[in-house]
Amino acid sequence: MTRPSPPPSTPDYSPRQGYLDAAPNGIAARSAWSRPAAPGQGVTVCDLEYAWDLAHQDLPAVTEMIPGGSSPGDPLGSVDHGTAVLGEIVALADGMGVTGAAHGASAIVVPVFLDGARRLSVAITAAVARLRPGDVILIEQQVAGPRHAGRGPDDQFGLLPIEWIRSAYEAILTAVGNGIHVVEAAGNGRQDLDDPLYTVSPGDHAPFTPEHDSGAIIVGASDIPRAFGGVVADRSRLSGSNYGSRLDVQGWGFGVTTLGYGDLSNSAPDGSQSYTADFGGTSAASAMVAGAVAILEGEYRAATGAPLAPSILRARLVSAGTPQQSGRYPASQRIGPRPNVSGVDVAGLAAPPDFAMGAMTPNPMYRSVTIRLSLPNPATVRCTVFDPTRPPARDARRRFARRRHARAVVERARPRGERDRERGVLLSAVGRRARGHEPFRPHSSRRSGSQSREQRGRPAMSGGREEKERRRA
């Protein structure tokens, strides 16, 4: 009996992974591999999209989490995209195939196509419930914008970041507010997100403006180094990528070697040994950035035992990145810098901020205390702490109501004409002072019969009572 021959061993494709090299070519992920902790150790990365081949030989154990009571589906009928994304981040460092940028991280996946429809906010909410502060959510989705109307499913023109959908935007806000890093593909719609079409939105939903920043890291796609097949200029905007001031950082937009598809090799009929040399778009770019985020979060957590705030990590990715260049399109069409993991001083981030406790001001009426905290930035934060279990003090409410009622009664008791005259005198005097005629001297609020017309705000007239008394004397 002839035994079937074992599948051929997979070669090592890691030299093709130039996006892991040192800056400026890559994100400098390899520099983190020599450190004591495994890259991304202690961090969980959650990928949100349609489907994956979780049995691929080059993946660790990955948990699929399905929101309760939902039935997942795959409208595209392909597992290659999700498998390629996971390969960039967590592929095993086993000397064959490819190696993930943060191969020490854990991974879970959450499908977004549930009960026959795309329910991204449900998927994000389920992920938030599972993750802890410092973990990473990667959103590998895009949505049709106003300019995509009437176009076919294979035409990506006019596609936008997923937070264009209000429910998804609000779910992202919740995730970031819970200390979770959210990495979001900018989309392959070739759109300027600073266009008034997207910044002036009906219903006050303009997610790409500074005042509506969700806190997510939005990633554009760039050209790549010539040594790996670049066309025009490395780090310049790729034609298909969306762009604008809201984008934070960039990643390789094509030529990414990872798992899936099988154009590089496919030794098993079930696709579990498939590899590609040309994954791309903002999908590949955002997976690359998610790997960089997991590396930095893991290093910070190992140094401090605490998670890194999403806003701080995003700012450091941008400030330490390799700048965008002009190519076919000018650098003013922003996709942001390329992350440089080795350029971020994790030791500097590890120092906890000192603060000083300031004055504590109690407010017995509303049973609250206002506390001032002084930070070294410099900045002052004022916090008001309420006791929601107890209503405002009854006696305090009554005292406040009595004072307000007393003021109202006194004001109503004064004749309306008298109040108007006093208001007129004040305005007249202020006007004369502004013109430099005379200093303003407030008059008495008493209205006796002996007041002159000047005191009442009217010009003095000859033949008045004062003149008659003088003549009699």
Side-chain angles (χ1 to χ4, degrees), residues 170-340:
E170 292 173 349
I172 292 170
L173 279 176
T174 302
V176 175
N178 280 274
I180 297 170
H181 308 286
V182 178
V183 181
E184 180 182 0
N188 305 316
R190 305 195 294 277
Q191 297 298 297
D192 178 6
L193 301 185
D194 292 328
D195 190 302
L197 181 64
Y198 306 124
T199 58
V200 181
S201 175
D204 193 32
H205 179 60
F208 311 133
T209 56
E211 58 269 25
H212 294 96
D213 187 342
S214 66
I217 301 170
I218 298 186
V219 184
S222 72
D223 201 343
I224 67 176
R226 286 190 177 274
F228 293 90
V231 178
V232 182
D234 183 28
R235 305 191 309 279
S236 63
R237 181 177 81 83
L238 205 61
S239 61
S241 176
N242 289 333
Y243 59 95
S245 59
R246 179 58 186 86
L247 271 68
D248 298 297
V249 288
Q250 59 165 282
W252 282 25
F254 63 97
V256 173
T257 298
T258 182
L259 312 182
Y261 294 100
D263 57 87
L264 185 58
S265 70
N266 190 6
S267 304
D270 61 355
S272 62
Q273 297 181 17
S274 58
Y275 294 85
T276 180
D278 198 24
F279 189 44
T282 55
S283 295
S286 54
M288 197 175 303
V289 171
V293 170
I295 290 172
L296 293 173
E297 173 63 35
E299 291 184 2
Y300 183 84
R301 188 174 291 183
T304 66
L308 185 57
S311 60
I312 295 177
L313 192 148
R314 182 176 72 167
R316 293 303 175 92
L317 276 181
V318 174
S319 63
T322 310
Q324 177 183 348
Q325 294 192 118
S326 295
R328 183 175 299 171
Y329 304 98
S332 58
Q333 297 185 359
R334 177 181 171 83
I335 56 172
R338 179 175 296 161
N340 177 11

Side-chain angles (χ1 to χ4, degrees), residues 279-446:
F279 189 44
T282 55
S283 295
S286 54
M288 197 175 303
V289 171
V293 170
I295 290 172
L296 293 173
E297 173 63 35
E299 291 184 2
Y300 183 84
R301 188 174 291 183
T304 66
L308 185 57
S311 60
I312 295 177
L313 192 148
R314 182 176 72 167
R316 293 303 175 92
L317 276 181
V318 174
S319 63
T322 310
Q324 177 183 348
Q325 294 192 118
S326 295
R328 183 175 299 171
Y329 304 98
S332 58
Q333 297 185 359
R334 177 181 171 83
I335 56 172
R338 179 175 296 161
N340 177 11
V341 169
S342 63
V344 178
D345 181 14
V346 177
L349 295 177
D354 295 326
F355 67 89
M357 179 79 73
M360 299 178 61
T361 307
N363 186 344
M365 179 182 296
Y366 293 101
R367 298 193 184 279
S368 66
V369 177
T370 298
I371 306 171
R372 293 182 181 272
L373 304 177
S374 297
L375 304 176
N377 296 32
T380 299
V381 179
R382 189 179 73 172
C383 318
T384 301
V385 183
F386 294 90
D387 183 357
T389 63
R390 304 179 65 183
R394 184 182 304 173
D395 54 347
R397 291 202 306 270
R398 287 178 176 174
R399 287 196 302 270
F400 178 74
R402 283 198 297 268
R403 289 198 300 268
R404 183 173 59 185
H405 177 71
R407 286 197 300 268
V409 169
V410 170
E411 184 66 19
R412 287 197 299 268
R414 297 173 58 194
R416 181 176 181 81
E418 181 178 324
R419 284 180 284 159
D420 291 343
R421 283 197 300 274
E422 181 177 323
R423 189 176 299 111
V425 170
L426 177 61
L427 295 178
S428 176
V430 171
R432 290 197 302 273
R433 182 188 180 192
R435 293 190 295 269
H437 292 173
E438 61 181 14
F440 170 59
R441 297 184 179 88
H443 58 277
S444 171
S445 59
R446 295 181 59 190

Side-chain angles (χ1 to χ4, degrees), residues 31-210:
S31 66
W33 297 354
S34 60
R35 296 170 188 170
Q41 183 175 359
V43 181
T44 299
V45 179
C46 178
D47 182 31
L48 272 61
E49 50 185 292
Y50 293 138
W52 310 260
D53 178 11
L54 301 183
H56 196 285
Q57 67 167 359
D58 221 353
L59 285 178
V62 178
T63 302
E64 182 176 13
M65 188 180 68
I66 301 173
S70 300
S71 177
D74 179 12
L76 301 181
S78 172
V79 298
D80 287 316
H81 188 282
T83 308
V85 166
L86 290 178
E88 284 189 64
I89 306 169
V90 294
L92 297 170
D94 53 6
M96 69 174 188
V98 299
T99 302
H103 52 263
S106 302
I108 64 174
V109 295
V110 180
V112 300
F113 197 79
L114 304 168
D115 301 324
R118 184 165 64 176
R119 304 184 186 278
L120 195 65
S121 60
V122 174
I124 296 174
T125 302
V128 171
R130 172 68 179 268
L131 301 176
R132 60 176 181 167
D135 289 340
V136 183
I137 291 178
L138 172 59
I139 303 177
E140 290 283 358
Q141 293 282 290
Q142 51 189 355
V143 62
R147 293 199 172 108
H148 186 72
R151 296 179 179 270
D154 296 329
D155 188 347
Q156 299 194 68
F157 182 85
L159 297 181
L160 302 175
I162 201 67
E163 63 183 53
W164 181 251
I165 302 175
R166 192 180 195 106
S167 60
Y169 167 81
E170 292 173 349
I172 292 170
L173 279 176
T174 302
V176 175
N178 280 274
I180 297 170
H181 308 286
V182 178
V183 181
E184 180 182 0
N188 305 316
R190 305 195 294 277
Q191 297 298 297
D192 178 6
L193 301 185
D194 292 328
D195 190 302
L197 181 64
Y198 306 124
T199 58
V200 181
S201 175
D204 193 32
H205 179 60
F208 311 133
T209 56

